[in-house]
Amino acid sequence: EAQVTQNPRYLITVTGKKLTVTCSQNMNHEYMSWYRQDPGLGLRQIYYSMNVEVTDKGDVPEGYKVSRKEKRNFPLILESPSPNQTSLYFCASASQGDQPQHFGDGTRLSIL
Amino acid sequence: GESVGLHLPTLSVQEGDNSIINCAYSNSASDYFIWYKQESGKGPQFIIDIRSNMDKRQGQRVTVLLNKTVKHLSLQIAATQPGDSAVYFCAESPWEYGNKLVFGAGTILRVKS
């Protein structure tokens, strides 16, 4: 089944403790992206990647890092999480830059 | 379920009626538009897309209309069903920004049986 898989689905952690949210897609898609969704603010793009070893900032990249060492994986890294990064996070992928993005089911992060 | 928005506009329709969800986009340079459906606890699900060289595109029970003059997008759902209840988002993408999607705030669709 074609899908975008995020792990973990839920995480409660403390300020400053590094964490990584993994994202994997099995569709051989070139494009991958991370979004955060907050009440009243909708979905906002954090980082995206057009292909392996190519990453770019989205609208809200501060406090986040990403890497794209292989096509299927696009992990989101919070080196020193803070409470304002408490949010619902979505990973998405698309076959190319101008095709519809397919989303994972989300990761709920709570930073205390 | 998880809340995806506060004070989103809500459209309530009777089962079997047609639904029209509207969206105003902001960037006149946008040339690709998508509608997504988000159910509680799930990620956005692609419904239909349209490019700026078209005014209308039809899918199964759904139609998207694009009016570039007034920067307006609409999603029409025919014979609305209870399973259509969800939050609907429009998204715009100026290709020059490399498939960057800018999402609207969303509209809640409630289908009454």
Side-chain angles (χ1 to χ4, degrees):
Chain A
E1 179 188 353
Q3 59 187 4
V4 178
T5 304
Q6 299 177 223
N7 278 296
R9 291 293 313 279
Y10 302 91
L11 179 63
I12 301 173
T13 188
V14 296
T15 299
K17 185 176 180 183
K18 180 181 178 180
L19 67 91
T20 299
V21 185
T22 64
C23 175
S24 180
Q25 50 91 7
N26 62 359
M27 296 168 279
N28 201 36
H29 283 172
E30 292 185 353
Y31 180 93
M32 297 186 75
S33 182
W34 276 103
Y35 296 84
R36 60 178 288 174
Q37 187 173 36
D38 302 288
L41 297 175
L43 281 138
R44 294 177 293 167
Q45 190 177 53
I46 303 171
Y47 268 95
Y48 66 96
S49 169
M50 298 289 281
N51 213 325
V52 176
E53 300 292 0
V54 179
T55 63
D56 282 292
K57 295 178 180 179
D59 292 319
V60 289
E62 294 77 21
Y64 304 94
K65 287 174 59 176
V66 292
S67 69
R68 190 87 184 276
K69 294 189 174 67
E70 48 192 344
K71 186 181 272 193
R72 66 181 291 125
N73 295 321
F74 190 46
L76 179 70
I77 304 155
L78 285 71
E79 293 272 4
S80 183
S82 61
N84 65 10
Q85 293 178 297
T86 292
S87 187
L88 180 58
Y89 290 85
F90 289 101
C91 181
S93 72
S95 57
Q96 292 176 9
D98 63 345
Q99 296 300 312
Q101 294 181 34
H102 300 270
F103 285 77
D105 281 337
T107 295
R108 170 70 70 180
L109 286 185
S110 294
I111 316 294
L112 304 178
Chain B
E2 295 163 340
S3 172
V4 300
L6 294 175
H7 309 300
L8 293 178
T10 300
L11 175 66
S12 293
V13 298
Q14 197 66 38
E15 181 179 359
D17 288 350
N18 297 334
S19 302
I20 300 176
I21 301 171
N22 295 305
C23 176
Y25 64 91
S26 57
N27 190 342
S28 57
S30 293
D31 53 8
Y32 181 53
F33 305 88
I34 309 177
W35 280 100
Y36 283 94
K37 170 187 180 184
Q38 188 175 22
E39 297 173 285
S40 181
K42 291 191 173 291
Q45 176 187 358
F46 169 76
I47 302 173
I48 191 168
D49 59 358
I50 187 168
R51 300 190 186 274
S52 59
N53 60 352
M54 302 174 70
D55 298 322
K56 178 180 178 179
R57 189 163 188 226
Q58 287 183 292
Q60 187 176 14
R61 278 202 311 119
V62 295
T63 300
V64 55
L65 298 177
L66 175 63
N67 185 330
K68 295 181 287 293
T69 303
V70 295
K71 292 190 286 188
H72 183 267
L73 197 64
S74 68
L75 177 71
Q76 300 178 359
I77 304 174
T80 313
Q81 303 168 359
D84 295 327
S85 293
V87 180
Y88 288 80
F89 294 96
C90 66
E92 59 180 301
S93 178
W95 168 233
E96 61 181 314
Y97 293 117
N99 204 11
K100 172 182 174 177
L101 282 180
V102 177
F103 282 81
T107 297
I108 298 170
L109 176 65
R110 290 205 172 100
V111 182
K112 299 174 284 188
S113 299

